[in-house]
Amino acid sequence: MAAGEYVSVQPQADTEEADLAAEIRELHEDPHSELEELSAIYRHRGLDPVLARQVAEQLTAHDALGAHARDELGITDTLRARPLQAALASAGAFTCGAAEREGGVEG
């Protein structure tokens, strides 16, 4: 079961890594367009254009990749795909369920 969980989560992790690699390349090759893109995201979310630009500039200065990962790609550290963690959780749940069942305690 753990192996199946790992295999099912790994493609998402691979996609996230590819998206982040592309974003790193874009930030390096065309930082102006990336700043404009981030600013547009904030305008779309309801900020006025001047404030959206200020927020985009400040977040870019602080952590450009983090801002784009979170606000453009929807990738956050908390919600990242972690195949090994998913496999371990599945293995743990299966083991606990089997031990509970073996001990004669049923749901």
Side-chain angles (χ1 to χ4, degrees), residues 30-50:
D30 194 2
H32 178 75
S33 291
E34 290 300 301
L35 180 63
E36 289 301 320
E37 184 175 34
L38 202 56
S39 182
I41 289 168
Y42 300 138
R43 285 193 311 272
H44 180 71
R45 290 185 181 170
L47 296 181
D48 70 71
V50 173

Side-chain angles (χ1 to χ4, degrees), residues 56-89:
E57 288 173 349
Q58 288 185 15
L59 291 176
T60 296
H62 176 71
D63 179 9
L65 181 59
H68 281 272
R70 179 185 58 250
D71 296 326
E72 179 185 347
L73 303 173
I75 299 173
T76 65
D77 191 48
T78 306
L79 299 177
R80 294 231 16 215
R82 292 181 175 83
L84 186 56
Q85 183 179 12
L88 291 173

Side-chain angles (χ1 to χ4, degrees), residues 1 4 6-7 9-13 23 29-31 36 38 46 50-51 56-57 66 68 72 82 94 97 104 107:
M1 293 198 70
Y6 181 90
V7 169
V9 176
Q10 186 61 47
Q12 181 182 349
E23 198 61 42
E29 292 174 358
D30 194 2
E36 289 301 320
L38 202 56
V50 173
L51 182 57
E57 288 173 349
H68 281 272
E72 179 185 347
R82 292 181 175 83
F94 181 79

